[in-house]
DNA sequence: TAAGTCATGTAAAAAGTTACATGATTCT
DNA sequence: AGAATCATGTAACTTTTTACATGACTTA
């Protein structure tokens, strides 16, 4: 099974949902660390159902299209729990921005600065968004809930803290890069 | 063109190389932020040649198989420089470990700790490796070289510093997670 | 003698993205 | 009147991974 399958199971382990719901949850909160389009989600849900890890019931609605609400099965929950605890190797890193930086010595300083500033501001925006979510979570959490492994909210909170760390680090590094390039008074290439 | 194409151009902009050389350079240093197998590299090189961004000459060798040495063309260098400075949106994040953490509330504390400790030690190992490379780079660099945008070594150094930040952040977060789970004296799920 | 390095590829399968396809209701 | 939301999918294409394929020389 591909990671997407476990992403979907991870959401359904918290609450039943339709494909449409899952697509939105795939943007937030799963989108902070995984991504999929609906053209991948619908077939994957069908595969999970065939494997017996989820089951759906059709919910008829007035004034809205009918929907299929999926729920995780015991087998699905067991498969998810087993996968979650299974140790893993670090997968290959992929950061297209680093690829740009690797060849940025070919660019002139103003273009390089524009690139980096634009990227830094996107990361700063994300950081602000994550911090806001964090504040909300901390406000709404029951006492100790965000410190207990068996709580799904703790799990979400943990991933959010990692996201905050990540964005902070990225922004700080961009800042360093910008300052270094601004301080560079040597000529341009060629 | 896919990012891999620019990864290859980025390497060839520094020095001509054979496909085989590029495969090794794809592990280090590009491997720190991009990844590809040889089955993707050879065809991509052919595509770059067809597009006129690289050109090869066959170098005959005694006691070793002949090799094709690729060099970047002016058109290739121009395409690379343009791409490198082009602003980009943050691409979708993908972190399978976070996906596990998201569902880790289903696991028992000992299994969860084993998972996290294993992952943390892998990141700590990488951090140590990066720090070692950093020390070597700083020792071998000419004065100011690592602070000048137009130097390819500066570009490599910048990506390395980001890698160090990243690994440090990951290790620190793992540590926090481990401590939090160890401090959790509430019961197990179910 | 077995494993590792140098050297270059192809084929098939899986995963992921983009584009196509439809239609009612609700909000601006 | 037009855009957004609810709701579910398929088709075609691109990207990436895994497996197949070969062969000489060097090091342990």
């Amino acid at each position: 099974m591909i990671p997407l399958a476990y992403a979907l199971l991870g959401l359904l382990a918290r609450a039943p949902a339709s494909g449409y719901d899952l697509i939105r949850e795939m943007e937030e909160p799963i989108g902070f660390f995984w991504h999929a389009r609906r053209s991948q989600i619908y077939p994957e849900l069908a595969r999970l159902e065939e494997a017996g890890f989820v089951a759906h019931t059709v919910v008829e609605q007035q004034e809205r299209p009918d929907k299929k609400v999926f729920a995780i099965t015991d087998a699905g929950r067991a498969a998810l729990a087993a996968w979650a605890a299974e140790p893993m190797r670090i997968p290959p890193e992929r950061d297209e921005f680093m690829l740009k930086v690797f060849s940025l010595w070919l660019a002139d300083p103003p273009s390089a600065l524009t690139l980096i500033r634009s990227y830094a501001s996107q990361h700063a925006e994300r950081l602000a968004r994550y911090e806001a979510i964090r504040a909300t979570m901390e406000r709404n959490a029951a006492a100790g809930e965000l410190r207990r492994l068996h709580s799904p909210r703790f799990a979400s909170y943990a991933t959010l803290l990692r996201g905050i760390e990540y964005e902070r680090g990225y922004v700080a590094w961009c800042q360093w890069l910008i300052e270094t390039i601004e301080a560079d008074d040597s000529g341009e290439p060629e």
Side-chain angles (χ1 to χ4, degrees), chain A residues 134-168:
Chain A
R134 177 194 191 163
T136 308
M137 274 185 99
E138 287 175 353
R139 229 184 304 110
N140 297 343
E145 192 184 24
L146 301 183
R147 247 161 277 125
R148 264 182 233 125
L149 176 62
H150 68 260
S151 155
R153 293 223 175 103
F154 165 70
S156 297
Y157 183 66
T159 62
L160 184 67
L161 288 196
R162 174 62 198 134
I164 289 172
E165 277 272 1
Y166 176 80
E167 299 300 341
R168 255 189 214 149

Side-chain angles (χ1 to χ4, degrees), chain A residues 14-143:
Chain A
R14 289 155 191 246
S18 67
Y20 191 80
D21 296 332
L22 291 167
I23 288 160
R24 271 178 309 154
E25 288 169 345
M26 210 61 196
E27 274 159 31
E28 187 179 322
I30 292 268
F32 302 159
F33 45 87
W34 203 260
H35 177 258
R37 308 278 170 145
R38 73 174 175 295
S39 61
Q40 209 184 356
I41 292 171
Y42 284 116
E44 195 57 40
L45 269 173
R47 242 169 269 139
L48 282 169
E49 184 147 47
E50 216 193 340
F53 293 146
V54 304
H56 83 266
T57 49
V58 176
V59 174
E60 282 168 47
Q61 295 182 116
Q62 281 88 6
E63 319 204 333
R64 284 266 159 255
D66 294 355
K67 60 179 174 180
K68 291 186 184 177
V69 174
F70 289 86
I72 195 167
T73 62
D74 288 342
R77 198 177 293 265
L80 176 61
W83 169 83
E86 185 72 30
M88 63 175 275
R89 296 284 193 79
I90 303 176
E93 308 289 346
R94 286 212 153 90
D95 187 334
E96 195 176 334
F97 190 75
M98 287 304 123
L99 223 42
K100 281 181 186 273
V101 172
F102 188 72
S103 293
L104 211 55
W105 58 281
L106 291 166
D108 56 294
S111 313
L113 285 170
T114 301
L115 167 77
I116 303 161
R117 285 199 189 105
S118 147
Y119 210 63
S121 81
Q122 290 176 61
H123 278 292
E125 219 171 273
R126 282 214 178 169
L127 175 58
R129 201 165 131 233
Y130 290 178
E131 296 272 28
I133 297 169
R134 177 194 191 163
T136 308
M137 274 185 99
E138 287 175 353
R139 229 184 304 110
N140 297 343

